[in-house]
Amino acid sequence: MELGMVGLGKMGGNMTVRLVRGGHRVVGFARTKAVVDKVVAQGARGADSLANLVEQLAPPRIIWLMIPTGPPVDQTLDQLHGLLAPGDLVVDGGNSYYRDSVRRAALVNGWGFRFVDVGTSGGIWGLEEGYSLMVGGEDADVERIRPILETLAPGPKLGWGHMGPVGAGHFVKMVHNGIEYGMMQAYAEGFAILQGKTEFALDLHQVAEVWRYGSVIRSWLLELTESALAENPTLAGIEPWVADSGEGRWTVAEAMDLNIPAPVITLSLEARLRSREADPFADRLLAMMRNKFGGHEVKRES
């Protein structure tokens, strides 16, 4: 099977290589030539424009997008509008908001093209381990890309599934990332407590290594934590600033819309936001309020 891959960042590039290894003919395009050259060296074909990518594929075509969420997806679809033909299929494998995917599917279908959303997890390890793929779309469209999904996943029947209609794939991936936020926060808080018990002088790397086997809380995330602690036991030089991709926010908003309590995911998102405050105004105001009603001491900046 042949397809065009648009977006060859770390994950997109690794996916392209995995597909090539699986016997698929892949044409890759990215804005940076050096990135395209890397996948060409691994056996893919390169394109220097979207038009050139489309030209190299026989219709009906499959175009897989691995690009940042938001306007870049809409802009790429607009460009593809004048290049594709009826029956061509566009797959959004990035972290798009599921409501955007529903909207885009209606737009693309109106042009005569097909649309599938694939929530993709696995990160930089997916090349060797395989990716977890959560797929949304019409039955016939999903069946059409089955060989691709079976190649990218850990196994033909492992790690991928048709979640439901268009939007379902990105919805499931959104909640997946919300859960991820909560798990990461729990591990981080637990290890902080262990680190704070200074009289025991605990070896956090050893603790993580022990927990990896037989423990109820063992996980791949714990394995990555163990690896990080092995490389840098004290986390020296790491700034306590945690980014968020937006999917945690979407998960919390969806929980509110559905009247479903999600305190762990919500608090983990708030912790990430708090990590970025170098000079938290709220804390300074709290100190002043406490001083006003109780006369409590206020520490002054030196």
Side-chain angles (χ1 to χ4, degrees), residues 59-139:
R61 307 171 184 86
I62 299 173
I63 309 293
W64 188 299
L65 308 181
M66 289 299 293
I67 56 181
T69 184
V73 179
D74 292 308
Q75 293 162 6
T76 303
L77 290 177
D78 285 341
Q79 294 177 61
L80 288 171
H81 182 196
L83 299 172
L84 299 181
D88 289 347
L89 171 63
V90 178
V91 179
D92 183 0
N95 280 333
S96 292
Y97 183 36
Y98 82 96
R99 294 184 189 272
D100 287 338
S101 297
V102 173
R103 171 181 58 79
R104 289 169 182 147
L107 179 67
V108 169
N109 291 163
W111 295 340
F113 314 145
R114 308 302 303 163
F115 187 93
V116 171
D117 60 292
V118 179
T120 308
S121 182
I124 59 176
W125 297 92
L127 174 60
E128 301 302 331
E129 302 292 334
Y131 296 90
S132 175
L133 304 164
M134 296 140 268
V135 188
E138 297 292 333
D139 291 346

Side-chain angles (χ1 to χ4, degrees), residues 14 31 72 88 98 102 106 108 121 127 143 145 149 176 184 201 218 229 266 278 297:
N14 283 349
R31 291 178 298 176
D88 289 347
Y98 82 96
V102 173
V108 169
S121 182
L127 174 60
E143 190 61 29
I145 63 171
L149 300 170
H176 163 284
M184 291 174 69
R218 65 187 182 276
L229 291 170
T266 302
E297 179 186 0

Side-chain angles (χ1 to χ4, degrees), residues 42 78 82 132 147 172 189-190 193 202 231 236 266 276:
Q42 296 290 332
D78 285 341
S132 175
V172 174
E189 292 175 5
I193 295 169
L202 297 169
E231 295 169 4
T266 302
R276 304 170 207 172

Side-chain angles (χ1 to χ4, degrees), residues 3-8 12 15-16 19 26-29 53 64-66:
L3 76 153
M5 179 71 76
V6 180
L8 301 172
M15 291 175 73
T16 298
L19 288 165
V26 185
V27 181
F29 168 70
L53 178 138
W64 188 299
L65 308 181
M66 289 299 293

Side-chain angles (χ1 to χ4, degrees), residues 11 67-73 93-98 100 104 119-121 123 170-182 184 241-252 265 268-273 275-276:
M11 183 181 284
I67 56 181
T69 184
V73 179
N95 280 333
S96 292
Y97 183 36
Y98 82 96
D100 287 338
R104 289 169 182 147
T120 308
S121 182
H170 281 152
F171 180 81
V172 174
K173 177 57 163 53
M174 177 190 75
V175 178
H176 163 284
N177 280 28
I179 293 171
E180 180 184 282
Y181 278 42
M184 291 174 69
W241 194 101
V242 188
D244 75 282
S245 64
E247 295 200 83
R249 301 178 186 224
W250 300 338
T251 303
V252 171
I265 295 174
S268 67
L269 172 62
E270 291 178 357
R272 292 192 181 201
L273 300 179
S275 76
R276 304 170 207 172

